[in-house]
Amino acid sequence: MTPQSRFIVVDDDPLNNLVCNHIILKFAPDAEIKLFTNPEKALETVQTLGESVEEGEYVLFLDVNMPTMSGWEFLEAFENLDEKIHQRFKIYILSSSIDQGDIQKAAASPFVRGYYPKPLNLETMGQLSL
């Protein structure tokens, strides 16, 4: 499996996760996709995948506004993970927020590669540096 065919979606909205799943499969029909409505569970999986001996990178779509753990809290926890884990994940914010503060915060994060509006679409997929 090529690195760009592995995706993780972290969003508390199951409908948005289904949309992401559909768009990713249209873009990369052989994609391996993990969908999470629970960011804490997603973080555990990221750590496990990041520490695994299996090669390859993951693209991670992260929502900002979630009830139990925000996207920003997720990124803070991610920052505390090992550097080798950081290198395996390309994180993109996928949010309905158009708040300039959120956009600037994403731009300032060393882990976030881009900030895109929901819903995910094929145009956005084509803009990603996969």
Side-chain angles (χ1 to χ4, degrees):
M1 208 164 268
T2 58
Q4 61 269 35
S5 63
R6 292 181 179 165
F7 296 86
I8 295 174
V9 180
V10 183
D11 192 323
D12 62 307
D13 179 359
L15 181 60
N16 185 67
N17 286 351
L18 288 175
V19 169
C20 287
N21 191 67
H22 176 75
I23 294 297
I24 292 167
L25 287 174
K26 273 182 111 67
F27 186 81
D30 65 338
E32 172 190 312
I33 307 167
K34 296 183 186 311
L35 305 172
F36 293 92
T37 54
N38 179 319
E40 293 89 348
K41 197 72 159 154
L43 194 60
E44 288 174 23
T45 300
V46 162
Q47 185 166 4
T48 302
L49 291 171
E51 292 172 344
S52 78
V53 293
E54 193 177 329
E55 292 295 311
E57 293 180 338
Y58 292 82
V59 172
L60 191 150
F61 291 113
L62 180 62
D63 186 21
V64 172
N65 299 311
M66 297 180 283
T68 59
M69 173 188 253
S70 74
W72 306 123
E73 291 167 328
F74 182 97
L75 286 171
E76 285 173 25
F78 181 81
E79 187 174 355
N80 293 323
L81 299 178
D82 191 273
E83 178 62 34
K84 74 175 186 167
I85 297 173
H86 296 165
Q87 294 172 5
R88 299 208 45 201
F89 293 89
K90 295 178 177 179
I91 300 176
Y92 295 91
I93 300 292
L94 190 62
S95 178
S96 54
S97 171
I98 55 169
D99 183 312
Q100 280 303 110
D102 283 341
I103 295 167
Q104 290 168 350
K105 198 170 186 178
S109 171
F111 304 112
V112 176
R113 296 181 176 230
Y115 190 103
Y116 295 96
K118 285 183 187 179
L120 183 63
N121 58 48
L122 287 172
E123 183 181 337
T124 297
M125 290 295 295
Q127 292 173 7
L128 304 180
S129 57
L130 302 177

